[in-house]
Amino acid sequence: MTEPDTTAVGDHRPPVVVTYLKAKADADVHTTVACFTPDAVVHDEGKDHIGVAAIRDWAVGVVATYDLTRTIRTVRTSSDATLVQIEIAGNFPGSPVVLHHHFTVSDGLIAALTICP
């Protein structure tokens, strides 16, 4: 995963978001899933994945289906929310695409993640 000069974008990502982004780039499903609260919600491609088992299935499906590269474009953080804009390229129609990843962090873990254009 390519990342910008973090000082240039005012990067103050919570450690769990940093861990998640690296795990996704490395296709490390175990570490990806460990970043979420037990009742977390991931919204991606118009579907909700609720709870650790569903999030694991989602993460495995992404790794199995797509050969992706990610380039972080911008990072914005407020009190409990982090918005990361990522250019994603791979073996899917319309590649590359810029997607917004909206993270809500609670007690050091991701409680919600919404991925949208």
Side-chain angles (χ1 to χ4, degrees):
M1 175 172 48
T2 307
E3 298 198 34
D5 174 356
T6 55
T7 50
V9 295
D11 183 15
H12 301 289
R13 292 176 290 179
V16 71
V17 171
V18 173
T19 300
Y20 167 86
L21 292 170
K22 179 164 180 8
K24 287 292 283 184
D26 294 342
D28 179 349
V29 171
H30 177 75
T31 301
T32 298
V33 173
C35 292
F36 290 90
T37 64
D39 59 346
V41 177
V42 172
H43 181 82
D44 186 27
E45 297 184 299
K47 297 177 186 160
D48 288 331
H49 310 275
I50 303 169
V52 173
I55 292 170
R56 181 179 299 106
D57 291 346
W58 162 76
V60 167
V62 169
V63 169
T65 304
Y66 305 109
D67 181 24
L68 302 176
T69 60
R70 296 166 173 81
T71 304
I72 294 177
R73 296 294 180 207
T74 62
V75 177
R76 292 191 181 104
T77 302
S78 64
S79 59
D80 66 345
T82 300
L83 179 64
V84 182
Q85 189 180 50
I86 304 174
E87 180 179 305
I88 301 186
N91 59 333
F92 59 89
S95 176
V97 64
V98 175
L99 297 177
H100 295 83
H101 291 63
H102 182 272
F103 296 88
T104 302
V105 175
S106 177
D107 296 325
L109 293 173
I110 300 167
L113 168 59
T114 300
I115 302 171
C116 58

